[in-house]
Amino acid sequence: MIGPSSELPTELPSLHNAYQQARATVSRGAPIFIVGQTGSGRTTFARQILSKHPGKTYWITAAKALKQVPFALLTTLTAQLPTPTSSFAPAEMLAGLVRYTGQQSVTLFLDQAHYADEQSAAILGQLSLTRNIHLVVTTTAIHELPQSLRDLRTSADAFRIELERLNFADTATILEDVLGGAVNSSTVDTLLEFSDGNALHLRELTLDAQNAKVLTKQGYYWTLDRLWNPQGPRISDLITSRLREQPRSIREAIELLAVTGRLRYPFAQQLLGAILPQLLDTRLAKLVTLTEDEATGERELAVVLSSGLAPHTVLSTLTETQLRDYLQRASDTFPREVLTSHARAWFTRHRVQLGIKIPAAELYEDVVGSAQARKFAQVVALTDSLDRESFTDQSMLEHVLVMRADALHELGKPEVALSVLEPLLRTGSPELRGVAAKIAFAGLGDPELATRIIDFGPQDPVDSQAQRLLVLSRAGQVVDTERLRDYASHSDISPALRAACLAHVLIEDCYAGRPVDAFEEFLGFATGDFWASATPATQAELLFALPVLSSCLGGVSAELAEVLSGLDFTNLAINHANYLTGHGLEQLEQGRALDALEAFEQAFALIVASDPYLSTGFIASLAASAAVMVGDLEKAGSYYFVGKSSSVVSGQIMRPIAQRNLLPVILEFEGKEAAQDHLQQCLVQADKFDRKLVRMRLLHDAWRLGLFVGVDEVSDAAGVVQGPLAQTIGQYAAVIQDPTLEAVQALTAAHVSSQRLLYAAEVAQRASGAARELGQRTLASRLLSLSTELAEPLEQVNTPALGRGRIVRSLLTEREYATCVLAAGGASSHEIADELFLSRRTVEGHLQRSYTKLGIVDRRQLLPSADGDIDLAEPLNARLTSLPVSGQTTT
């Protein structure tokens, strides 16, 4: 292609079909129209479809300044053609162009065609109709093109592609191109929101964040500091440049909309007046639907910035005088009482930024609204310059300080958070001491300090008693869970604390072997009036129990899936690391360890900079378990080292799940004796709390790992536990001891229905081994085939019960290794013999010797070789000290 050249980015996933259609259109010579707003990627899309197109391609870009200059584009094109030109008279240029295009196929890429002069557009349009040239046109809108090009668009074979807002997958693709590595999904979400899905704005924001050193590589993922304010010279210059092209009235409307944030349509009409339709025509702002009545079809609409513009980034271009001016105009237009809680807090944040004195009652109301919506950064911003003298009501001031401290804790600053409350601990309210105790325990990992803080007032009201019991329970002490249940329904306790008590009770009920009862209770709250009237902060407390419910039931039921599908996770503002960890745990339970490891590593990257709940050890333990399952012993050792050296409160009430998942890790690195010791310690702890389901899961895992636990013991433990998982495990003993194809198929089908493919494949494999020991070789082979089929989606996964053979190079000769690799890829012995120039008998000999070394009996059990094999004979300490610790920061 003749024109500026640079490496092309990866093609976007959402445009896969569009790329194919566009290339087919180019091949047949029909015109293509690529439509999209500034920064949407029109030019990139055109270059991508033309990059491998044979023949001559010329790239010319129309300019706004030359739109009124006759034949400007034709002159630019003629200057590029290898034809003799004595002058640039229109007739001579046209004649030369006709001669040249008549001799060979020419494709013309006309960029920014909405700025094309009418005369050139008429000639190019005519030559496209006669197929002298093949046009690829980019524009912001078809109606902005010169008439001759608009007419060309109506031809039957013309193709049009409208570039829309980037989706999540597109954004991830662009970020990986820009940063040259994997990007945390939380970072993708945040930058997608700030850029409004505009490719150009996304790139500039990314580079600004990288330059500000708030976008850094944490472990294996580029991760954005969630306290980042999306400002920087690149994005500010881009926005300033885009707004400069607009009339003053449009520019002021956009800046005013940035100050107000999202505005309901009637308010936007009131504030912007006659300019609103013109603003919407520019597509720099758009209408969105807030609510819609299904019966009447009536919709509530709002006006928001679009096409890459976002309030935070536009605000960064305003001077203090402009901001003050716009804020005054908005305040004069809307009385405070007509605004939503979000809009009021947004206005107040601007006023605080400008140093305007805020009445105490208004500030209090806005801080409460922001805290309930879990907008922690906004709570901190609203209270950064707190004028304590303006509060005549000391209880109101104390509540503001409590919300500030809680927000700082959520943002990963526990020491600062506790320092806000420390001067008030002796005289403060039970609520203040409750939050201080939570910070001391969850943020600083100091249960003793937490209990000292919460125990200060023995005559405290019921909410203080509830908070004390909750802290003790989370600290691993045996408490009366029935009292916690009573607190969960106590009307004198705040809804968020009630939800926290309930979540804890539900988790303990699950552990105790009653997950069905716990889920029914959860469902009653999640579908009732309590949930409907709850704030996001309260709902988030209750949702803490969801991962445990799913794990203990043995999968996501239809009822639970319905609850999940109805959740608005954006408004809930759940901590991204917690969300990723919950997702990873579900994937791990399903046996999809590669997906689980990816989720845990992303969560781990997020908590490197901010770990408000000291979950480092919890996540690292789960990541180590997933890494062992896929044979990545380097990562497993690294995460195991982090897990072992982390706080003993890491994971809090969910710590038993991490401790159970450490069994395969300890077995891998320290051997059976150490794993058996860990198992006994966990069983003692489970019995201490009478956690029957935890005991069942421990015994089930021990049996899967071959840790001297009989299948009878596992089934007996399952007999006193509720739920589909326990029911299925309870049948293991009878089926394994006397296997039949029908019984094993029924057992595996029960696991598959709960998406527990790993357990299904494992029990089929164990039944195959039992059949082989009973001399039933045909049944053993059929059950092995069943296990292999069930395990096929579980990429790279192996466990002792699954019995696959990972092809470890260090255990095999070169010939054995090559033979196994080909066999694992599906090659027959005959095909392997041809490939390696061996006899079929020699191939079979290599395979049989390899099976013995790898501990398997059949080629169906082979797994592909893993990269970076570790010498299993190397001492543990040497292996751990040589491994990099995940989470190491690089800029």
Side-chain angles (χ1 to χ4, degrees):
M1 179 187 295
I2 296 175
S5 62
S6 60
E7 186 178 347
L8 287 173
T10 306
E11 295 183 357
L12 300 183
S14 69
L15 296 176
H16 177 71
N17 291 334
Y19 287 123
Q20 291 182 321
Q21 290 177 281
R23 288 184 177 117
T25 305
V26 170
S27 296
R28 68 172 187 268
I32 297 177
F33 291 81
I34 303 165
V35 185
Q37 278 292 296
T38 300
S40 59
R42 303 183 311 257
T43 303
T44 299
F45 183 89
R47 292 181 61 207
Q48 285 170 326
I49 64 173
L50 291 170
S51 60
K52 297 179 182 178
H53 178 61
K56 292 287 187 180
T57 300
Y58 292 89
W59 177 2
I60 59 174
T61 302
K64 185 177 182 180
L66 299 177
K67 186 174 183 178
Q68 304 305 320
V69 179
F71 302 104
L73 272 182
L74 190 61
T75 303
T76 303
L77 177 58
T78 301
Q80 295 187 42
L81 297 178
T83 55
T85 305
S86 59
S87 72
F88 285 94
E92 185 176 343
M93 288 191 293
L94 176 57
L97 183 57
V98 171
R99 283 194 304 272
Y100 181 69
T101 57
Q103 296 169 0
Q104 59 183 307
S105 174
V106 172
T107 299
L108 176 61
F109 169 21
L110 177 52
D111 205 3
Q112 298 197 134
H114 42 283
Y115 293 142
D117 63 275
E118 291 284 354
Q119 297 80 2
S120 296
I123 292 172
L124 296 177
Q126 183 60 36
L127 290 175
S128 176
L129 287 173
T130 60
R131 295 299 173 94
N132 282 66
I133 62 172
H134 308 319
L135 268 181
V136 176
V137 172
T138 71
T139 182
T140 53
I142 294 294
H143 71 266
E144 294 175 354
L145 292 173
Q147 184 63 50
S148 54
L149 295 181
R150 291 205 303 272
D151 292 343
L152 188 63
R153 167 65 190 91
T154 62
S155 62
D157 57 352
F159 175 73
R160 169 176 175 167
I161 171 67
E162 189 93 30
L163 298 180
E164 304 290 350
R165 183 179 186 270
L166 299 173
N167 62 23
F168 180 92
D170 294 337
T171 304
T173 298
I174 291 174
L175 290 176
E176 286 173 8
D177 264 350
V178 173
L179 298 171
V183 182
N184 201 300
S185 60
S186 170
T187 299
V188 176
D189 269 330
T190 303
L191 289 172
L192 174 59
E193 176 188 353
F194 285 149
S195 66
D196 190 44
N198 181 282
L200 180 58
H201 284 243
L202 174 67
R203 185 179 185 278
E204 298 304 285
L205 281 164
T206 302
L207 295 174
D208 267 337
Q210 196 176 15
N211 290 338
K213 293 183 170 45
V214 293
L215 180 58
T216 55
K217 198 167 187 180
Q218 308 289 352
Y220 303 98
Y221 290 89
W222 285 94
T223 302
L224 182 67
D225 187 331
R226 59 186 179 143
L227 291 179
W228 177 56
N229 193 13
Q231 298 176 358
R234 298 184 70 105
I235 190 64
S236 296
D237 289 348
L238 174 59
I239 289 174
T240 300
S241 173
R242 289 191 65 186
L243 295 187
R244 191 181 295 121
E245 297 177 356
Q246 300 297 325
R248 180 183 179 85
S249 57
I250 296 295
R251 186 167 65 248
E252 290 184 352
I254 290 168
E255 292 169 345
L256 190 52
L257 196 56
V259 171
T260 64
R262 185 181 69 186
L263 270 183
R264 285 181 287 177
Y265 188 67
F267 288 173
Q269 287 181 305
Q270 188 177 347
L271 180 63
L272 302 178
I275 201 65
L276 178 57
Q278 298 174 44
L279 174 62
L280 294 174
D281 281 344
T282 67
R283 292 194 280 181
L284 297 174
K286 63 183 178 182
L287 292 175
V288 295
T289 301
L290 298 179
T291 60
E292 184 170 0
D293 190 316
E294 293 183 3
T296 65
E298 186 175 344
R299 296 182 299 164
E300 182 183 12
L301 301 175
V303 179
V304 297
L305 295 176
S306 68
S307 188
L309 302 180
H312 284 89
T313 53
V314 174
L315 285 171
S316 70
T317 67
L318 301 183
T319 65
E320 184 174 311
T321 301
Q322 286 176 307
L323 177 58
R324 191 181 296 271
D325 242 11
Y326 288 135
L327 187 60
Q328 188 61 54
R329 284 172 59 180
S331 299
D332 290 345
T333 305
F334 308 124
R336 180 176 166 84
E337 58 271 15
V338 307
L339 297 173
T340 63
S341 173
H342 170 73
R344 286 197 296 268
W346 184 243
F347 275 25
T348 300
R349 184 171 179 171
H350 298 328
R351 292 155 68 196
V352 168
Q353 178 185 338
L354 292 169
I356 298 173
K357 188 171 182 178
I358 313 297
E362 288 186 13
L363 182 64
Y364 175 80
E365 183 182 20
D366 294 335
V367 173
V368 169
S370 300
Q372 290 178 339
R374 294 179 60 83
K375 296 183 180 299
F376 301 116
Q378 181 151 289
V379 170
V380 172
L382 289 171
T383 56
D384 267 340
S385 305
L386 192 62
D387 179 9
R388 301 190 181 202
E389 300 301 322
S390 65
F391 285 85
T392 55
D393 184 336
Q394 289 305 299
S395 64
M396 185 183 288
L397 172 61
E398 182 183 283
H399 193 201
V400 169
L401 293 173
V402 166
M403 289 183 287
R404 175 175 173 80
D406 195 40
L408 286 166
H409 160 62
E410 290 283 352
L411 294 172
K413 300 180 182 299
E415 293 88 355
V416 180
L418 198 56
S419 70
V420 172
L421 302 180
E422 200 165 8
L424 303 173
L425 287 180
R426 298 191 63 83
T427 59
S429 67
E431 179 203 19
L432 183 145
R433 292 203 306 279
V435 171
K438 179 183 78 170
I439 294 169
F441 171 71
L444 299 177
D446 192 339
E448 292 185 7
L449 175 59
T451 51
R452 286 202 305 272
I453 291 172
I454 204 72
D455 281 344
F456 183 78
Q459 305 303 317
D460 279 346
V462 65
D463 54 347
S464 183
Q465 298 172 36
Q467 188 70 267
R468 177 182 181 276
L469 197 61
L470 193 60
V471 168
L472 291 174
S473 184
R474 287 176 172 173
Q477 298 188 30
V478 178
V479 301
D480 184 354
T481 54
E482 287 307 309
R483 283 181 61 197
L484 275 178
R485 189 185 303 279
D486 291 340
Y487 291 142
S489 58
H490 204 296
S491 58
D492 290 342
I493 296 178
S494 69
L497 181 54
R498 288 171 57 193
C501 291
L502 177 61
H504 198 89
V505 168
L506 294 179
I507 291 172
E508 282 291 1
D509 281 352
C510 286
Y511 289 163
R514 300 185 297 273
V516 174
D517 293 345
F519 177 64
E520 288 176 354
E521 189 170 0
F522 170 83
L523 204 59
F525 277 88
T527 57
D529 293 339
F530 178 81
W531 180 269
S533 60
T535 64
T538 300
Q539 292 174 339
E541 291 285 1
L542 187 55
L543 289 177
F544 181 70
L546 271 181
V548 180
L549 278 169
S550 175
S551 171
C552 294
L553 284 168
V556 178
S557 64
E559 296 86 354
L560 182 53
E562 186 175 351
V563 171
L564 292 173
S565 66
L567 296 177
D568 184 349
F569 284 101
T570 301
N571 285 335
L572 285 171
I574 292 175
N575 180 286
H576 284 179
N578 291 347
Y579 177 86
L580 285 164
T581 304
H583 174 70
L585 181 58
E586 176 61 23
Q587 295 297 306
L588 189 63
E589 292 278 345
Q590 292 181 20
R592 301 182 186 277
L594 278 177
D595 293 336
L597 182 58
E598 180 182 350
F600 294 141
E601 289 187 320
Q602 290 192 38
F604 196 84
L606 285 170
I607 63 173
V608 167
S610 174
D611 186 11
Y613 293 98
L614 297 181
S615 53
T616 298
F618 176 71
I619 298 172
S621 298
L622 296 176
S625 182
V628 164
M629 286 173 64
V630 298
D632 192 336
L633 299 187
E634 184 174 348
K635 282 186 179 179
S638 175
Y639 284 119
Y640 181 37
F641 184 79
V642 173
K644 286 179 68 174
S645 58
S646 296
S647 169
V648 294
V649 303
S650 186
Q652 300 184 32
I653 185 63
M654 294 174 69
R655 189 169 178 79
I657 295 175
Q659 292 298 300
R660 175 172 64 81
N661 274 283
L662 279 177
L663 272 174
V665 184
I666 295 172
L667 177 64
E668 177 66 49
F669 286 104
E670 300 185 37
K672 275 194 173 183
E673 186 176 344
Q676 193 71 33
D677 289 344
H678 181 75
L679 172 65
Q680 292 307 315
Q681 292 171 21
C682 291
L683 287 171
V684 168
Q685 190 74 358
D687 291 341
K688 174 183 174 181
F689 285 85
D690 196 25
R691 291 170 170 170
K692 297 180 176 64
L693 185 141
V694 174
R695 180 179 182 81
M696 178 199 77
R697 295 302 301 271
L698 284 165
L699 292 173
H700 177 228
D701 282 355
W703 175 76
R704 295 171 54 236
L705 297 170
L707 295 181
F708 314 112
V709 173
V711 71
D712 280 333
E713 192 176 356
V714 177
S715 288
D716 288 345
V720 292
V721 174
Q722 296 177 347
L725 178 62
Q727 290 172 6
T728 307
I729 292 175
Q731 302 171 46
Y732 274 20
V735 173
I736 296 294
Q737 290 167 358
D738 185 17
T740 65
L741 181 61
E742 294 75 14
V744 176
Q745 285 176 332
L747 200 58
T748 57
H751 274 318
V752 170
S753 67
S754 298
Q755 298 182 324
R756 296 309 186 247
L757 289 181
L758 177 60
Y759 298 160
E762 286 178 334
V763 78
Q765 163 64 20
R766 282 296 179 90
S768 173
R772 187 174 294 105
E773 290 176 3
L774 293 170
Q776 302 175 31
R777 299 187 63 176
T778 302
L779 176 60
S781 180
R782 295 183 71 177
L783 292 177
L784 180 57
S785 294
L786 174 62
S787 176
T788 303
E789 180 183 344
L790 290 166
E792 187 175 354
L794 307 179
E795 186 181 356
Q796 288 296 330
V797 170
N798 192 27
T799 66
L802 190 56
R804 285 165 146 178
R806 203 178 301 281
I807 306 173
V808 181
R809 185 188 291 270
S810 59
L811 298 179
L812 306 173
T813 68
E814 285 300 317
R815 282 296 189 187
E816 288 168 350
Y817 178 79
T819 303
C820 286
V821 168
L822 291 171
S828 67
S829 294
H830 179 74
E831 291 169 331
I832 296 171
D834 288 346
E835 177 73 20
L836 299 180
F837 303 102
L838 301 172
S839 70
R840 183 171 178 177
R841 183 175 177 179
T842 302
V843 168
E844 290 294 345
H846 284 323
L847 288 174
Q848 290 303 321
R849 285 189 293 275
S850 300
Y851 297 160
T852 301
K853 293 177 180 179
L854 299 177
I856 60 176
V857 299
D858 193 287
R859 72 170 61 207
R860 288 171 291 182
Q861 296 171 278
L862 285 170
L863 270 177
S865 175
D867 292 333
D869 294 331
I870 292 179
D871 185 353
L872 301 181
E874 186 181 358
L876 171 68
N877 289 341
R879 289 158 68 183
L880 289 183
T881 54
S882 66
L883 298 177
V885 176
S886 295
Q888 186 174 6
T889 303
T890 59
T891 56

